[in-house]
Amino acid sequence: MTKPVPRSRFLTKWNFGLLHTILGFRQNWAMRIFFSVLLSCAICETLLAQLPGQLDRIVSAHGIPYQGISILVKELHKEEPVLSHNAEVPRNPASTIKLLTTWVALEVLGPTYRWPTEIYFLGEWDGRRLDGDLGIKGYGDPYLVTEEFWNLLRELRRNGLEEITGDLVIDDSFFARVQTNPRDFDGQPYRSYNVTPNALLLNYQAVRFQFRVHSNGREVLIASDPILDNLIIENSLELVNGACGGYQAGISFDIRDPDFGKTAVFSGSFSEACAPYSLYRSVLRHDTYAHGLFSTLWRDLGGIYAGEVTSQKIEDRFTPELVWQSRSLAEVIRSINKYSNNVMTRQLLLTLGAKENYVPATHEGGVEVIRNFLIERGLDPLSLVIENGAGLSRDSRISASLLSDILELAQTSPFGSEFMASMSIGGLDGTTRGRFGPAQEGRAHVKTGRLDNVAAISGYVHAANGKTYTVSAMVNATDAHRGPGVELLDELIAWVYSLR
């Protein structure tokens, strides 16, 4: 077995006779203090530099400050670390903090937990025609995507409902209103990763816009998926000659009416040489998005509806006509951890809060559930700062040591296999597809994280020696996300894999 990297080999570099002389000055206490501080700094800097050879070379080549790196590698179910570097320092973990949110959810909610979505007939129904409003109450389903919502509506049609004479009533009161603005994180309010949570979140409130050259060769066609009846698309794109290139293939996106988000405007130049290009953006509001999608799908299913949308709490005296069940939590966390879905994770954090009777569910309630759970399991949450549970934050903090403890404890749980299976299979799927070398493909289950000046990785490496290791590493340094941090973390995975 590879021995832990020594933490005191730097001492051999010092002349202890000289050191004794320096610290033995009796006539100059100020000089003694000065050299003591100097020695402490030297010790600190050298300790920080204790990384295996190839890792050390990458750090030196890119000028990554050692004090900006945290690494902890341990053999699973063993106490002594194989490699430990600043493991107790709280750092920004980016999306690797999703491991904490999903693990606590597995333990608190259980892998078979499902989110209900309730349908109410708020009027008289004769078996075909509803003379009144149709109510939909959401409970935070993170995966109520277009296909799932279509299946829900198809079930309504199977039950006989065809015509709705009233309006669509949206009840999203199970979650408290999120006070943050989607533009707060990075000034990009229409990026799909910035969508705020909602108890009735449909298709992540996102639209895939696809651009291609018309068969007439004179214009650019824009298609949207899903098609929303209430979304207006203004196409001001110019078709040009020349090579395809530029940011977003030359396409600019904006919303004409930010308060409502119902008019998407596309401008710029799109080359005739470009292959079909896709852009995902958030449009409309939660309630109007739900209304637009409902209107489109209901019509496609042969239903009749021409109403408006209102948002209000459905009275307790009404009984649901249909209760739709989501996919299981075990399935949902695969989408979260493999593909790093932020809004799904935020939905999950609020669901945790609601589980402990914080209704309407709040972010603070979810964070309290996580902290209490860690304490109950004997873990110290002192290094932990959670803003939204997804890592889409400049302020989130956790230590490599706490992440490692989570990975370790998860594998003592009956749900440990579900937790590990939710992560990206190294080099083969999710956020690590094509990332590692051939030798490491399929030999790790990890969650990656990246923000401006942050690169992180955490998970399990199944080494060539037949042992499994927990790995947690974070790089918080200038331009870490642009390549240096990722290169260092990839080399760390390779190093762990090659342990003997």
Side-chain angles (χ1 to χ4, degrees), residues 58 92 98 132 137 204 216 287 347 372 382-383 395 413 468:
I58 292 172
N92 191 322
K98 289 181 173 74
K137 182 172 184 177
Y204 317 127
N216 63 22
D287 57 346
Q347 297 278 111
N372 289 341
L382 185 63
S383 71
D395 300 321
S413 164
T468 295

Side-chain angles (χ1 to χ4, degrees), residues 65-127:
Y66 285 96
Q67 63 268 29
I69 304 168
S70 286
I71 298 173
L72 184 58
V73 179
K74 297 174 71 176
E75 183 182 340
L76 192 61
H77 307 316
K78 298 290 185 180
E79 188 64 31
E80 189 69 23
V82 174
L83 174 62
S84 180
H85 177 85
N86 289 333
E88 302 296 337
V89 177
R91 298 204 188 278
N92 191 322
S95 284
T96 59
I97 205 169
K98 289 181 173 74
L99 292 177
L100 170 61
T101 308
T102 53
W103 173 61
V104 174
L106 269 178
E107 295 292 330
V108 172
L109 302 174
T112 61
Y113 178 86
R114 296 176 186 268
W115 289 259
T117 300
E118 297 173 346
I119 305 297
Y120 293 83
F121 291 173
L122 308 177
E124 296 296 324
W125 182 47
D126 63 8

Side-chain angles (χ1 to χ4, degrees), residues 205-220:
Q205 199 190 329
V207 170
R208 176 193 178 210
F209 296 99
Q210 187 172 61
F211 309 85
R212 64 181 178 86
V213 179
H214 195 287
S215 57
N216 63 22
R218 297 190 299 272
E219 57 186 314
V220 182

